[in-house]
Amino acid sequence: MPIFILRLLARARLLGTWWTPAAVLGFVYLTSWPLMALAEPRGSELVEPAAYWWYFVVTAATVGYGDLSPETAGGRVVGVYVIVGGIAALTAVFTRLAAVLERSKGRRMKGAVTVEASGHIVILGYTPGRTERIVEELIADGPCEIVLCAWEDVQAHPMADHDVTFVRGELTAEEVLRRAGVQRAHSVLVDAHDDNEALAVTVTADHVAEGAHLVVALRDIGRAQHLRYVDEAVRCVQWHSPHMITEELKDPGITEVYTELMTHGGAGTYSAHLPASLGPVPVERCQVALGRTYGATVLAARADGELLVNPDWRAVLPPGALLYYVSSRRLTPEEITKALGAAE
């Protein structure tokens, strides 16, 4: 009988599908009921329509509550038949589930998935060690969804131990970037093997992206002007500065601030010692007095050998402490003394 069922399912092309357990259970149910009716004495509660379906489910699932059971030897043989059919159906279900899970895992490992997320970060390109470092810095402030899209020479998911979705394919192909969800991404990083490749990938990424912040890592930052022909909004960052890359991905435009601070002209970063004549000075007084008088902002302070970045306004700096500040020009000791003295 089992061989007959398998052949029938194979001929109907249902073997190995979700229909297999349903067909087995249906066949066993339709054949076991009349057999049970023949084996059991007339008037048996077991073969009543309202009762037999319950007995069949409980027996096929091998639970066996015992509230209904056959009275005759023939009925018990039919019960065994139901049990075997239930075990066969459950085995087919678990086999099918295992196959689905294995196939899903295989697709994930091979990068054949399609990303449905939105507001995520897409990294286009993979460099062993470097990409792991970028991902770790991205998630340092908290969990975020990251999609790694790599060339076809990356045969399997290179970061399977990270919570990163892997997409594999030609990075200059629109279909591949759409599978990575570039069109719904918050930020996209082009981290290619060289600057020529970066330019080619950026052209496609800019075409697919719909409002995503596009960041390109360049070895020669002088080639940033070529990327501006693609899109004025593209941000170019030095390839050897992974930390700056991750900051730009999370907070668009921050590298422009860094560039402005590191470039001559406009706002600059300076340092100056607090005049000893002022005695201990609260950070709040430094921020308010220098800000109102000269438009300067205190970034950090070094006191007693300790560097305080973004110091607490309630902190008190000792005489001679070193201030690091942003201003349109360097302030003289006399100007600092005058501003802070007037604020007392």
Side-chain angles (χ1 to χ4, degrees), residues 49-65:
Y52 187 75
W53 73 269
W54 172 249
Y55 166 79
F56 179 84
V57 171
V58 171
T59 305
T62 68
V63 176
Y65 288 121

Side-chain angles (χ1 to χ4, degrees), residues 69-127:
S69 60
E71 301 175 15
T72 65
R76 294 188 183 95
V77 171
V78 176
V80 172
Y81 169 56
V82 173
I83 293 173
V84 172
I87 292 174
L90 290 175
T91 301
V93 169
F94 293 139
T95 301
R96 182 64 179 165
L97 281 174
V100 169
L101 292 174
E102 186 64 28
R103 185 160 54 249
S104 176
K105 180 181 178 182
R107 287 175 57 82
R108 175 179 176 273
M109 291 300 296
K110 294 179 181 178
V113 300
T114 297
V115 176
E116 300 296 340
S118 60
H120 54 294
I121 296 176
V122 181
I123 300 177
L124 302 177
Y126 173 73
T127 302

